[in-house]
Amino acid sequence: MTGPLTLCLLSAYTLSLTAGYLSVSIQPLPSVVIGDTVTLKCNFQTDGNLREIVWFRVVEGGGAKQKIFTYDAMYNSTYSHMEDNHRREDLVYQSTVRLPEVQMEDDGLYECHVGIYDKSSTDKVILASGSITLTVIVPPKSISVVAANSPAPFSRYEAHNFTLVCIVTGAKPAPMVYFKRDGELIDVVPTAQLSSVEDQSKGRGLEKSFDRSQAGLWSSRALTSRDLDDTKLQKSLLEQVGKLARLGQDGPDGPEKGREHGSKSDSEPTTEVIPETVVSREFPRWVQSSDPLYHFQQRQQAARDGTMEVRAMLTWSLNPQLDNEALFSCEVNHPALSMPMQAEVTLAAPRGPKLSMSPSKATVGDTVRITVQGFQLGPSASEVFPEPIFTWTKVGGPLLDGREEHNGRELIMERVPAELNGSMFRCTAQNPLGSTDTHTRLIVFDNPRLRKRHFIATDAAASQCPLTLTSMLLLLSLTCELT
């Protein structure tokens, strides 16, 4: 016995057997480096007849879709072989979209929409879609290493913390940053998890975790490789065998800004024997461990173009005896790089400043410039790092403008008088690793032009005296005649 309900179920089952079958998927893609050419592949399987294929790019955070490709089977015979009504088996087809030289704006969600004719009715279309997220990555644009709180003075009486800052810009996603010393990975103590800086444009924070496995152990050099004074080295270190203690437990704070002038006297005698360069060889009075603690901290901030700026900071208690001429490098690992990107600096104390004077033969009334042109550098250093502080003083008295000292790479004295002839000037250059003094003497010659002007002015004054006396006598005689 067949009722109405049974007939309805059989009818629905028959329609489902005759309905078209369609499934859509997009082949997954790894991250794509900016500038590469990408091909998006949409695979669909069906036993029906194709109607259309449409590709969309989702924009505005998913609020809108931009059509980037359309294929209509009614007006294109390319896929006419798919319109065989007698073909009942499932067929697999593929639609591709090529994106040449992808840029940052190509990053996002893409959708492939496929439509086929329902076999039960040519007026009905069955739709299905698939999606994929295209991730465009960008290698770092620049990497540099700077010293925090630079320039900073040298102190031989107190240990100061020193911080190197590695700045990496233009990367997407944020890269992994680590430090090396003399080619060996540094075993660091993370002061905190990677802290995020709020995105100024979107107002969102970004959190990344630090992988300590990137850090290794630094092997300290033997002290004999440094240019050290052996007698003072034994006095400062060998007496403390077994008592060396780790410093730098107070965290990664920067060095104090107080300036130590030591026990230099401003009343040095002015002699003809000029010491060209006096390098301070007195070692610090504190004792530093040869295996310091390195504290690491990393911060990142999103830029407006979607890339990240990363600042990685390495802080330790500086030891001028061990750290002078040590090579530190900052290296970056990023999925868009085939090999690590790096920047390196060599810590170097200022030594042997080279001074130049302009003009080389100064005369009275000239403007004299004394400038630091450079330094005597060791074999491994290409520049003095960190940036030194320059202080100018005049031995035995104030400078020409009345000040006790002048800061800067150049000392300018305008309209030098003859009284400055033979004056001695001292230039002190210092950074956290050491300090050095250089002296130069100013020789001022007479200016013939000024002497000639002086003689002309004297003759003119003398010639005016008789005329004035004659005028007074004439005026007196006229007065007598009138009376």
Side-chain angles (χ1 to χ4, degrees):
M1 181 176 179
T2 303
L5 180 58
T6 304
L7 292 176
C8 290
L9 292 175
L10 291 175
S11 177
Y13 179 74
T14 304
L15 290 176
S16 65
L17 290 177
T18 59
Y21 168 77
L22 175 63
S23 65
V24 179
S25 64
I26 301 181
Q27 290 187 7
L29 278 176
S31 299
V32 179
V33 180
I34 186 172
D36 288 352
T37 298
V38 179
T39 301
L40 303 179
K41 298 180 180 180
C42 176
N43 299 323
F44 56 96
Q45 185 174 351
T46 181
D47 60 352
N49 298 321
L50 179 63
R51 171 63 182 87
E52 64 178 356
I53 303 173
V54 182
W55 282 87
F56 293 95
R57 185 164 70 93
V58 181
V59 295
E60 299 179 2
K65 296 181 180 181
Q66 179 185 7
K67 187 181 295 185
I68 61 175
F69 174 80
T70 301
Y71 171 79
D72 193 329
M74 293 181 62
Y75 304 100
N76 194 317
S77 59
T78 305
Y79 296 93
S80 60
H81 62 279
M82 295 190 299
E83 300 180 3
D84 186 4
N85 294 327
H86 301 288
R87 185 173 299 173
R88 297 300 180 186
E89 67 273 14
D90 290 347
L91 300 178
V92 178
Y93 304 98
Q94 186 179 82
S95 173
T96 60
V97 172
R98 184 172 177 267
L99 304 177
E101 297 182 358
V102 294
Q103 301 299 317
M104 284 288 293
E105 55 268 20
D106 295 324
D107 186 281
L109 183 65
Y110 290 80
E111 295 181 353
C112 173
H113 293 250
V114 180
I116 64 168
Y117 288 112
D118 188 355
K119 293 191 296 183
S120 62
S121 174
T122 57
D123 297 331
K124 184 179 180 180
V125 177
I126 298 176
L127 299 176
S129 64
S131 62
I132 187 175
T133 299
L134 178 63
T135 302
V136 180
I137 60 176
V138 183
K141 293 180 181 178
S142 65
I143 178 174
S144 60
V145 179
V146 298
N149 303 322
S150 181
F154 168 72
S155 174
R156 61 174 56 90
Y157 303 105
E158 183 181 1
H160 281 170
N161 284 339
F162 182 73
T163 300
L164 286 177
V165 183
C166 181
I167 305 174
V168 184
T169 62
K172 177 182 177 289
M176 175 60 64
V177 183
Y178 52 95
F179 286 90
K180 288 184 178 181
R181 173 170 176 152
D182 298 329
E184 297 291 336
L185 288 169
I186 297 177
D187 186 19
V188 298
V189 178
T191 57
Q193 293 294 327
L194 293 184
S195 58
S196 62
V197 179
E198 184 176 356
D199 186 349
Q200 297 177 355
S201 61
K202 299 180 180 179
R204 295 185 305 174
L206 298 176
E207 289 292 334
K208 298 291 182 183
S209 61
F210 173 65
D211 185 7
R212 255 190 99 183
S213 63
Q214 294 292 335
L217 181 64
W218 165 65
S219 300
S220 59
R221 292 184 183 179
L223 296 181
T224 55
S225 65
R226 305 290 185 207
D227 183 15
L228 301 179
D229 188 326
D230 293 337
T231 59
K232 293 185 178 181
L233 176 62
Q234 294 175 1
K235 181 179 179 180
S236 61
L237 292 180
L238 297 182
E239 293 178 357
Q240 301 294 332
V241 173
K243 299 180 181 180
L244 295 180
R246 293 178 182 269
L247 297 180
Q249 300 293 338
D250 53 346
D253 297 335
E256 299 177 2
K257 295 185 179 180
R259 177 175 298 182
E260 295 287 345
H261 290 283
S263 57
K264 298 177 183 177
S265 173
D266 292 335
S267 59
E268 296 183 9
T270 302
T271 62
E272 294 300 326
V273 179
I274 304 175
E276 291 296 336
T277 300
V278 180
V279 180
S280 175
R281 289 289 183 179
E282 181 181 357
F283 290 133
R285 313 214 173 186
W286 38 265
V287 178
Q288 172 69 35
S289 170
S290 61
D291 187 14
L293 290 177
Y294 290 94
H295 300 271
F296 181 86
Q297 188 177 11
Q298 180 170 315
R299 295 176 182 152
Q300 58 193 39
Q301 180 176 354
R304 293 183 178 179
D305 60 356
T307 60
M308 303 296 296
E309 178 184 285
V310 175
R311 290 176 177 260
M313 289 161 282
L314 183 71
T315 303
W316 75 99
S317 188
L318 189 69
N319 186 345
Q321 300 177 57
L322 299 177
D323 293 329
N324 189 30
E325 296 188 3
L327 175 64
F328 284 84
S329 61
C330 169
E331 297 194 4
V332 169
N333 278 336
H334 192 270
L337 296 174
S338 58
M339 59 184 301
M341 186 178 183
Q342 75 169 20
E344 58 184 26
V345 293
T346 299
L347 304 188
R351 183 178 62 181
K354 302 175 183 179
L355 303 182
S356 67
M357 186 179 298
S358 176
S360 57
K361 187 177 181 181
T363 59
V364 176
D366 287 346
T367 297
V368 177
R369 299 173 182 267
I370 308 177
T371 307
V372 179
Q373 295 290 343
F375 296 90
Q376 298 175 7
L377 300 175
S380 60
S382 59
E383 62 178 350
V384 174
F385 182 89
E387 178 185 359
I389 298 174
F390 300 95
T391 305
W392 297 86
T393 56
K394 179 176 175 292
V395 178
L399 297 172
L400 183 59
D401 56 4
R403 293 181 297 172
E404 292 297 326
E405 63 180 34
H406 169 74
N407 296 322
R409 182 179 286 267
E410 186 177 57
L411 175 64
I412 302 177
M413 295 175 288
E414 298 181 353
R415 301 185 184 92
V416 294
E419 291 75 14
L420 282 184
N421 182 34
S423 298
M424 183 90 73
F425 294 89
R426 178 195 298 118
C427 175
T428 301
Q430 61 177 323
N431 69 1
L433 293 161
S435 65
T436 180
D437 292 340
T438 297
H439 297 74
T440 184
R441 186 183 296 278
L442 174 63
I443 304 299
V444 183
F445 296 90
D446 290 335
N447 192 335
R449 291 177 300 176
L450 293 180
R451 182 182 299 178
K452 184 177 181 181
R453 290 177 185 175
H454 176 71
F455 289 157
I456 293 175
T458 304
D459 294 342
S463 63
Q464 288 178 1
C465 291
L467 294 177
T468 303
L469 181 60
T470 304
S471 301
M472 292 178 63
L473 293 175
L474 289 175
L475 180 60
L476 181 61
S477 63
L478 288 175
T479 304
C480 293
E481 291 177 359
L482 291 176
T483 55

